[in-house]
Amino acid sequence: VHILCLSNGNYDGLGKTREVELVRAVEVLGISPARNHVTCLDVGQFQDGPKEVWEADDISRAVWSEISRILQPGDATSGTATKDRSGCNVAIITFDERGVSSHPNHIDVCKGVRYMASRDTSRKIHNNVNVSVCVWELSSITNPLKKYCPFVEWIPMLVGCIWGVIYSFLELNV
């Protein structure tokens, strides 16, 4: 598992804090050592912000570059060294076209990864190692109640259960 974050989220000047948070989140998932499995970019073309536009071609290049970097032959730190391999499968999980909260950068990432996949889903790297890519998109939750108050969905279910118990009790005592 390798996590690539195209921006460190420095819009409010918290980029370094966000990087630490990402590494800690990976540690919580049990991926160790987390620092070896996380790449968080802080480059000009991927600055965080609602008015920043990330170009699809730049995203495609950055993702392929990271795939190539982590699959370098003999790279013991990544656990994915391609030495003596003829091929490798890579799964990419990204945002959908809604970008979680309609965040423009998240939407651009979706467009960029789709662009990358439409151009080539496999590529030869490092002495003809064939890398095949499969892209998965997360589904954004569009209903704000479901997104920010998921317990609200439980209310009809709980009312139904309570009503069922009351009805059964009344039936037994009639």
Side-chain angles (χ1 to χ4, degrees):
V1 173
H2 194 87
I3 312 293
L4 169 62
C5 191
L6 294 176
S7 170
N8 70 355
N10 200 35
Y11 181 69
D12 291 324
L14 298 171
K16 294 302 176 193
T17 301
R18 298 290 180 245
E19 288 180 30
V20 170
E21 290 171 345
L22 180 59
V23 170
R24 286 188 180 149
V26 170
E27 288 170 349
V28 168
L29 293 173
I31 300 168
S32 177
R35 182 44 75 195
N36 291 351
H37 295 271
V38 175
T39 301
C40 197
L41 301 180
D42 183 16
V43 294
Q45 69 264 36
F46 302 129
Q47 291 303 301
D48 184 35
K51 295 184 188 217
E52 299 293 331
V53 176
W54 298 2
E55 298 298 329
D57 197 48
D58 291 337
I59 292 167
S60 176
R61 272 195 305 276
V63 172
W64 273 117
S65 175
E66 184 63 11
I67 290 170
S68 180
R69 187 189 71 76
I70 64 174
L71 295 178
Q72 286 187 25
D75 182 4
T77 61
S78 71
T80 54
T82 58
K83 191 172 186 176
D84 301 325
R85 280 198 197 170
S86 60
C88 182
N89 295 318
V90 174
I92 297 175
I93 302 171
T94 187
F95 302 106
D96 67 5
E97 69 278 354
R98 290 181 205 93
V100 179
S101 300
S102 300
H103 191 299
N105 303 145
H106 297 176
I107 294 167
D108 287 344
V109 168
C110 176
K111 290 177 183 176
V113 171
R114 283 180 178 178
Y115 171 77
M116 177 188 128
S118 73
R119 289 184 54 211
D120 52 351
T121 55
S122 87
R123 182 179 279 196
K124 295 210 180 279
I125 62 169
H126 307 301
N127 298 322
N128 291 324
V129 173
N130 189 47
V131 177
S132 297
V133 173
C134 178
V135 176
W136 296 78
E137 292 181 10
L138 299 171
S139 294
S140 293
I141 298 172
T142 56
N143 181 331
L145 280 177
K146 283 184 178 182
K147 185 172 186 173
Y148 298 109
C149 305
F151 62 87
V152 171
E153 283 191 313
W154 304 341
I155 292 172
M157 180 183 68
L158 290 173
V159 169
C161 287
I162 292 168
W163 176 249
V165 169
I166 292 169
Y167 183 77
S168 295
F169 180 75
L170 291 174
E171 285 289 310
L172 289 173
N173 291 323
V174 173

